[in-house]
Amino acid sequence: MGELTWIFVSAMVVNNFTLMLFLGLCPFIGVSNRIATALRMGAANTFVLVMTAVCVWVLNTFVLVYAPYLRLISFIVVIASLVQIVEMVIKKVSPVLFRELGIYLPLITTNCAILGLAIFQTSRGYDFLEGLSFAVGAGAGLTLALVLMASIRESSELANIPQPVRGTALVLLIAGSLSLAFMGFAGLLSSG
Amino acid sequence: MTHGAVEPASMTHGAPVAPRARRPVAPREDLLRGVWKENPVLVQVLGMCPTLAVTNSVANSIAMGLATLFVLVGSCVLVSGIRRWVPDQVRIATFVLIIATFVTVADMTLEAVAPAIHKSLGAFVPLIVVNCIILARAEAFASRQSVGRSALDALGMGFGFILTLLLMGTIREILGSGTLLGRSLFGPSYEPWVIMVLPPGGFLTLGALLLVVGWWRQRKAGRAVPVNEPACAPTVGKVA
């Protein structure tokens, strides 16, 4: 159990996907204007991450032992079809949620965080439960980073910011300071 | 398909659909567009992950840039070559498969030729698959233009990407470890600014670069230019 908790905490804060590993930067920069949107995007991502972890485990255990060179191609195909299926299921089961998530669902396919999760999970050789814990931790970390960024951007909206700094430059500079703060969690590694 | 409202960034910065038979676009223009005027990172704000993640040294930047250039040119030529036979509905899936194949080739080649660099780039070589620059060029340019023009465009974009990576890598390596390509610059008394080779340094360096580019473009235009929003997400939104 300690091992699983550790994987979760490590994926969420110490090696936060967005702020420490630079994965999933597109939604981080693109949809971090509002806290509500950021939360929804984080939730959608977490869901797909968990589903991916399950699929990747199945692929790694039963298929890729026979054809390791197909790793990347099979991952990307599985992720793309997974997102498509999730989209159809949500549309059928809960049209309200589908409307709320809107365009964010298909965008998740090309989110580096998902493929990154699949690759890390493979290279670290996680088993089923470890993979799940890793995926939930990574999703929580993504959501945390998105919500933090959205809250800062919401409160900086009325500030008098010079024109050239507005937009992506400002987001990156804020992300830099957030990333600095997250480096403090690295201390968990030695004491944990 | 999620066209429409979510598209402006990619469409305004992406290649304009060629004026048919009106005025042939000079090959030079195709080639140079990606280097500065539509630089994939600094102007279009695409491909952020590798730009931030692997630029902590010049050597890593060069390896990453070359791998991406190879995948970009290969995929764009192939996408352009088969564009007449690919049905519209499955084109994104086809592009992604083509890109994944080229990335697998690049990954294995790099592992065989330069194992040390392959190791330090880690997961970011396979992650070239989801580098938005490649899918964006395949979708916005190569799937509509001739093979020759696509190759030139891909070369230009690739070089623009390499130049940006080199710029980032040079700044971060000099400030963060006091070396250039592993050779000491300032002697033993230099206290390295370690944070620059760590993740925060990537964010801060790229933020500063975008700031300078924004300021420069604004000055040149003599008025406020619209801020760059990343074109990445909208471009690939057509997957569905």
Side-chain angles (χ1 to χ4, degrees), chain B residues 56-75:
Chain B
N56 49 10
S57 79
V58 176
N60 282 356
S61 309
I62 295 176
M64 187 64 184
L66 288 180
T68 312
L69 177 75
F70 165 74
V71 177
L72 188 60
V73 174
S75 318

Side-chain angles (χ1 to χ4, degrees), chain A residues 169 172 182:
Chain A
L172 284 170
F182 267 68

Side-chain angles (χ1 to χ4, degrees), chain A residues 3 50 58 89 92 95 110 116 128-129 175 180:
Chain A
E3 181 72 9
V50 172
V58 172
V89 170
K92 183 82 185 163
T110 39
F128 185 66
L129 280 180
L180 265 178

Side-chain angles (χ1 to χ4, degrees), chain A residues 59-123:
Chain A
L59 270 180
N60 277 335
T61 321
F62 299 109
V63 184
L64 290 179
V65 256
Y66 305 109
Y69 51 89
L70 282 182
R71 200 178 57 144
L72 201 52
I73 298 179
S74 56
F75 283 174
I76 198 79
V77 170
V78 165
I79 292 172
S81 20
L82 189 69
V83 173
Q84 196 87 98
I85 293 170
V86 168
E87 196 184 350
M88 289 192 288
V89 170
I90 293 186
K91 195 174 185 179
K92 183 82 185 163
V93 175
S94 161
V96 182
L97 183 63
F98 181 76
R99 246 203 329 275
E100 300 225 312
L101 287 176
I103 59 158
Y104 302 131
L105 264 178
L107 296 193
I108 295 174
T109 311
T110 39
N111 188 336
C112 341
I114 314 284
L115 188 62
L117 176 107
I119 291 167
F120 281 128
Q121 195 187 348
T122 314
S123 64

